[in-house]
Amino acid sequence: MQAAAFAAILAIAAVAVPMLTAGKVGLQEASAQASVAAGSTIKVTGDASMSITPDQVMFSVSRQSQPQPDAIQALAEQEEYIAQITEAVTAVSEDTTVTVGQKYLNPFYSGPGQYPSDVTFSIYSTIAVHTSVDSLSPLVSKLVEEGYGFESVYLDPIYSARLLEASGVMQPDGTLPPETESEQKPLIIGVNLSTQPAKLKETLDEYVGKYKKLVGILKEAGISESDIQQTNFYVNPQYYGYPQYSSYQTYTQILVKTSAENLEAVKDAIQKENGNIDNITTTISDAQIEQARKELTQNAISNAESRASEIAESLGAHVRSIKSIEIVGQSGYNPYYGSYPIYYRGVNFMQSPGFYNPGFTDVSVSAVVEFEISR
């Protein structure tokens, strides 16, 4: 009896297990059907990459001219040289281009040199003016108004000692001399006179005019010429360095870009024009980048479609059509190259696509594509 009951239980369990399994599969199918409703889409990223080699070369050409006596003449000679180089290299091939880089005009400071014939001079002097304490403030105001400067204000030491004695700070000891007339004007102010750079006679005339004007202002303030002394007088030639030379030289950098097959011919043309070739580097032309971009774009879209089909198949569906495409530039740190990719003309470069890239480089295109799917 017990054995029969146990057998019945086993039979019921055997029937229940397939029924539960079938129910689970049914739920999965229902879930897939629910997730792939009408108008469902999948958005995936497709990638494509290739290695390309440079197809052109870049010459960096420099030239330092001989010293020229005139700056305008030096610049004219520089422009003439640029035109000569341009004509020589473009005659080799129509696809050769010239870009002017750095241009300098520098004074020439070596060699025998000479002072310029048109050297100018300026004059600087200090005039000591004796005045009284009461007259100081109005006198300074008048001189400032007329454009004069000041070096110092000096107090006669004997007058200073008398002030200290009168204030009780210093006890009288009989060593001070009797008061003199000069102590009536114990303040000495240093007035500056200066001229603008000019030919020597012109700057002397300017100085004399300013000095006479100063004397007139002081006389109006009650100060006689005996209380005016010139303490220093400098005539300075105005030039930079020792000595200042009047010659100039130019520095010119020219970048010449051409196809790789023109390398030798362009090099010979540059050397015939006495150009100094600093270096020759390989570059990738824009035309080659455009060709790679077209191919990589199609490959990236195909890669995105393959990935979308793989996802759709796992849902029991298939890809019907493309709804949108977006070509994106890469960003972020690249673990394989240790630098950020450069996005240029629709292509991601692992190295610089410019003048100083290595002999080859990897390029890639990434496309975000949205597909419509259905069962």
Side-chain angles (χ1 to χ4, degrees), residues 7-187:
I9 293 172
L10 290 177
I12 293 171
V15 173
V17 169
M19 290 179 64
L20 290 172
T21 303
K24 184 177 181 181
V25 172
L27 289 173
Q28 290 177 337
E29 292 178 352
S31 175
Q33 291 175 357
S35 63
V36 189
S40 295
T41 62
I42 297 176
K43 184 182 287 188
V44 296
T45 300
D47 302 297
S49 62
M50 66 169 62
S51 293
I52 56 177
T53 57
D55 59 337
Q56 61 186 10
V57 292
M58 172 70 69
F59 294 87
S60 178
V61 183
S62 65
R63 178 179 180 269
Q64 187 162 291
S65 70
Q66 294 297 319
Q68 301 290 339
D70 180 73
I72 301 300
Q73 182 180 345
L75 290 173
E77 193 272 343
Q78 182 183 51
E79 294 302 319
E80 181 181 355
Y81 172 74
I82 294 172
Q84 290 174 351
I85 284 286
T86 301
E87 182 180 358
V89 298
T90 53
V92 175
S93 174
E94 292 182 355
D95 66 352
T96 300
T97 61
V98 176
T99 303
V100 178
Q102 299 173 338
K103 294 170 62 178
Y104 297 110
L105 175 67
N106 302 315
F108 188 66
Y109 291 109
S110 60
Q114 60 184 15
Y115 286 100
S117 58
D118 58 347
V119 62
T120 58
F121 299 85
S122 65
I123 296 176
Y124 177 88
S125 72
T126 304
I127 310 298
V129 179
H130 296 255
T131 186
S132 64
V133 175
D134 295 336
S135 302
L136 178 63
S137 181
L139 178 62
V140 169
S141 298
K142 179 62 176 178
L143 292 176
V144 170
E145 181 182 336
E146 296 294 335
Y148 293 93
F150 301 92
E151 245 184 29
S152 61
V153 177
Y154 178 74
L155 183 63
D156 182 273
I158 297 178
Y159 182 78
S160 177
R162 292 195 191 281
L163 290 177
L164 293 173
E165 183 181 82
S167 64
V169 174
M170 185 178 72
Q171 296 298 321
D173 57 2
T175 59
L176 291 177
E179 184 173 342
T180 62
E181 184 178 348
S182 65
E183 290 185 46
Q184 300 299 319
K185 298 178 180 178
L187 293 177

Side-chain angles (χ1 to χ4, degrees), residues 24-344:
K24 184 177 181 181
V25 172
L27 289 173
Q28 290 177 337
E29 292 178 352
S31 175
Q33 291 175 357
S35 63
V36 189
S40 295
T41 62
I42 297 176
K43 184 182 287 188
V44 296
T45 300
D47 302 297
S49 62
M50 66 169 62
S51 293
I52 56 177
T53 57
D55 59 337
Q56 61 186 10
V57 292
M58 172 70 69
F59 294 87
S60 178
V61 183
S62 65
R63 178 179 180 269
Q64 187 162 291
S65 70
Q66 294 297 319
Q68 301 290 339
D70 180 73
I72 301 300
Q73 182 180 345
L75 290 173
E77 193 272 343
Q78 182 183 51
E79 294 302 319
E80 181 181 355
Y81 172 74
I82 294 172
Q84 290 174 351
I85 284 286
T86 301
E87 182 180 358
V89 298
T90 53
V92 175
S93 174
E94 292 182 355
D95 66 352
T96 300
T97 61
V98 176
T99 303
V100 178
Q102 299 173 338
K103 294 170 62 178
Y104 297 110
L105 175 67
N106 302 315
F108 188 66
Y109 291 109
S110 60
Q114 60 184 15
Y115 286 100
S117 58
D118 58 347
V119 62
T120 58
F121 299 85
S122 65
I123 296 176
Y124 177 88
S125 72
T126 304
I127 310 298
V129 179
H130 296 255
T131 186
S132 64
V133 175
D134 295 336
S135 302
L136 178 63
S137 181
L139 178 62
V140 169
S141 298
K142 179 62 176 178
L143 292 176
V144 170
E145 181 182 336
E146 296 294 335
Y148 293 93
F150 301 92
E151 245 184 29
S152 61
V153 177
Y154 178 74
L155 183 63
D156 182 273
I158 297 178
Y159 182 78
S160 177
R162 292 195 191 281
L163 290 177
L164 293 173
E165 183 181 82
S167 64
V169 174
M170 185 178 72
Q171 296 298 321
D173 57 2
T175 59
L176 291 177
E179 184 173 342
T180 62
E181 184 178 348
S182 65
E183 290 185 46
Q184 300 299 319
K185 298 178 180 178
L187 293 177
I188 304 173
I189 58 176
V191 181
N192 294 336
L193 286 185
S194 62
T195 65
Q196 296 295 320
K199 295 295 182 63
L200 184 57
K201 184 179 184 308
E202 295 174 5
T203 196
L204 284 171
D205 290 343
E206 180 185 355
Y207 177 79
V208 171
K210 286 189 173 184
Y211 182 83
K212 288 182 177 179
K213 182 179 179 181
L214 174 63
V215 171
I217 294 172
L218 296 175
K219 283 185 176 181
E220 290 180 3
I223 300 174
S224 63
E225 284 196 58
S226 61
D227 292 322
I228 305 172
Q229 292 91 34
Q230 184 170 271
T231 58
N232 56 56
F233 181 86
Y234 302 103
V235 179
N236 303 311
Q238 299 296 301
Y239 55 80
Y240 179 79
Y242 182 82
Q244 170 74 47
Y245 304 118
S246 58
S247 56
Y248 301 86
Q249 61 182 167
T250 60
Y251 171 84
T252 312
Q253 181 191 53
I254 300 175
L255 303 176
V256 180
K257 184 165 60 176
T258 188
S259 300
E261 59 266 22
N262 298 328
L263 191 152
E264 290 298 328
V266 171
K267 182 183 71 174
D268 292 341
I270 293 172
Q271 291 176 337
K272 285 181 181 179
E273 296 297 330
N274 298 319
N276 179 46
I277 300 176
D278 295 330
N279 53 63
I280 304 174
T281 55
T282 57
T283 68
I284 300 170
S285 67
D286 287 347
Q288 187 180 19
I289 295 172
E290 285 295 314
Q291 182 178 349
R293 181 191 59 77
K294 293 177 182 178
E295 182 179 347
L296 289 172
T297 299
Q298 294 302 317
N299 292 343
I301 294 173
S302 297
N303 178 250
E305 184 176 4
S306 176
R307 292 177 177 176
S309 296
E310 179 183 336
I311 296 171
E313 288 175 4
S314 69
L315 299 174
H318 64 275
V319 173
R320 290 186 57 190
S321 61
I322 296 175
K323 293 201 67 175
S324 66
I325 300 174
E326 180 185 0
I327 306 300
V328 296
Q330 292 183 358
S331 61
Y333 183 76
N334 186 325
Y336 299 103
Y337 292 93
S339 61
Y340 290 93
I342 299 170
Y343 188 67
Y344 176 70

